[in-house]
Amino acid sequence: RQQEVMTDMYYPIYPEGMYRAIKRCSEFGIPMYITETGIADARDDRRAIMIESYLQQILHAVADGYDVRGVYYWTLVDALEWATGYTMKFGLYAWEPDGSVDRKLKEGSIALQQLYHKLPDNRDAVHRAACDRIAAQECQKGHRSPEARGGRGTG
């Protein structure tokens, strides 16, 4: 669709899908670790948008009580993709197998670095931070006051 932001692999950035996947997978009743989420973005002009919007949905899920215990970005460095070789640039760091680029942090990756630095290490504290963040955003949008958001479980 015209309004969609596409990745280099011709998939749209669809953060709401992350929330829906967490909700659906929670039906199994086991803690979740999101082990592979990232974006093919050779120009590095959509990576920060993807990271921020997907982590926002993950925090929303945590605030809503879903038991998400970890998120791992795919991948640290640009890597071999089976179908496309080294052409898809998923890595947080640029790297070329011929040695012409040696692990240079991509500008769009700073968004993940900043988000991880802001979040506490303790699971309950992450839940509280997620609730506070979601409540503040809803309050800014005019939905609900932060006080109206309280009372949800920790998952």
Side-chain angles (χ1 to χ4, degrees), residues 32-50:
M32 274 179 265
Y33 292 85
I34 299 166
T35 59
E36 197 170 304
T37 188
I39 182 173
D41 180 14
R43 294 187 318 266
D44 195 35
D45 61 351
R46 295 152 287 167
R47 190 172 323 281
I49 294 166
M50 178 269 164

Side-chain angles (χ1 to χ4, degrees), residues 18 33-38 71-75 81:
M18 178 62 76
Y33 292 85
I34 299 166
T35 59
E36 197 170 304
T37 188
V71 179
Y72 301 93
Y73 184 89
W74 176 256
T75 176
E81 290 291 317

Side-chain angles (χ1 to χ4, degrees), residues 28-88:
F28 292 108
I30 56 175
M32 274 179 265
Y33 292 85
I34 299 166
T35 59
E36 197 170 304
T37 188
I39 182 173
D41 180 14
R43 294 187 318 266
D44 195 35
D45 61 351
R46 295 152 287 167
R47 190 172 323 281
I49 294 166
M50 178 269 164
I51 289 170
E52 290 167 359
S53 63
Y54 277 60
L55 281 210
Q56 177 64 30
Q57 291 297 313
I58 293 165
L59 288 174
H60 190 132
V62 168
D64 285 350
Y66 295 108
D67 193 0
V68 179
R69 302 218 179 155
V71 179
Y72 301 93
Y73 184 89
W74 176 256
T75 176
L76 183 63
V77 295
D78 294 330
L80 176 72
E81 290 291 317
W82 290 108
T84 60
Y86 288 100
T87 62
M88 294 296 142

